[in-house]
Amino acid sequence: MTETSSRPVSVDIRVLELLASKLCHDLVSPVGAIRNGLELIEEMQEEEEGGPAVGGFLGEAVKLIDHSSGQADRRLRVFRLAYGVAGRDQKGFGDARAAAAGYVEGGRTRLDWPERVPHDMTAQRRGVVKLVLNLVMLADEALTHGGLVSVAADGDETAGRITVTAAGRPGTLNPEAAAALAGTAGADALTPRTIHAYLAGRLAESDGFRIAVATESSERLVFTAEW
């Protein structure tokens, strides 16, 4: 029997990004159609009754569908930039900041990402938008009981640093995710819970970023990416 647990994983980054872009593109349209349909139902109900948009059981169903479709829409926006082709050439942090805020909306994690972080010229670096969003998602995953994710930047296009801090409980990265992020986990060791960490690390490497992870305390985890 051949041992494969330590076999390195080979990923064609371009193929991965194109696949992610296709999936997000194909899913955005039906999710958007659901939201448009909900708006139409509410408008029709207002016209017929001249009162509150929708009431009773139908109203509760509409609220549930609206919440779920909204969450799906916000997550797709993040996945498109974090995994797809669009994030690699994205310039500026505006869209990424809005996408990250939507990603944590309604959860127990809060986002501290100022509209104008110091040294915002780092946002012109190719692949930095993809990098930050992947680190934000990793930080959110580490805060299983909620907390605060903060984003800071320093430098410019040629040399800089991105820091994403997860503050809260437990504020740690489990060993399996840490190995996946570093690329030391073999193919058989990867799971649905660690695949994001693995891809985040490989995507960062493909754009020339060096990622370090430091556990400053039981409630503070810091991701640093330099170039």
Side-chain angles (χ1 to χ4, degrees), residues 119-190:
H119 303 283
D120 221 21
M121 283 302 295
T122 54
Q124 303 304 309
R125 173 66 155 80
R126 187 172 189 265
V128 76
V129 165
K130 182 186 291 289
L131 168 76
V132 177
L133 286 177
N134 275 286
L135 292 181
V136 166
M137 286 193 284
L138 278 173
D140 179 54
E141 288 177 8
L143 296 173
T144 55
H145 298 288
L148 178 68
V149 173
S150 303
V151 178
D154 183 26
D156 54 31
E157 292 180 70
T158 57
R161 172 188 296 179
I162 295 291
T163 303
V164 176
T165 304
R169 292 190 306 117
T172 58
L173 191 66
N174 67 60
E176 293 78 14
L181 179 64
T184 58
D188 291 355
L190 295 176

Side-chain angles (χ1 to χ4, degrees), residues 22-39:
K22 174 176 172 50
L23 289 173
C24 291
H25 177 272
D26 290 352
L27 289 171
V28 161
S29 293
V31 170
I34 292 172
R35 298 189 65 76
N36 291 337
L38 289 172
E39 292 177 2

Side-chain angles (χ1 to χ4, degrees), residues 5-61:
S5 60
S6 62
R7 182 184 301 167
V9 185
S10 177
V11 179
D12 187 314
I13 297 299
R14 178 66 177 175
V15 171
L16 171 66
E17 289 178 335
L18 290 171
L19 175 60
S21 293
K22 174 176 172 50
L23 289 173
C24 291
H25 177 272
D26 290 352
L27 289 171
V28 161
S29 293
V31 170
I34 292 172
R35 298 189 65 76
N36 291 337
L38 289 172
E39 292 177 2
L40 181 60
I41 290 174
E42 293 178 347
E43 290 175 3
M44 292 175 63
Q45 193 74 9
E46 285 178 342
E47 292 177 359
E48 291 178 1
E49 299 182 2
V54 184
F57 291 112
L58 178 58
E60 291 302 314

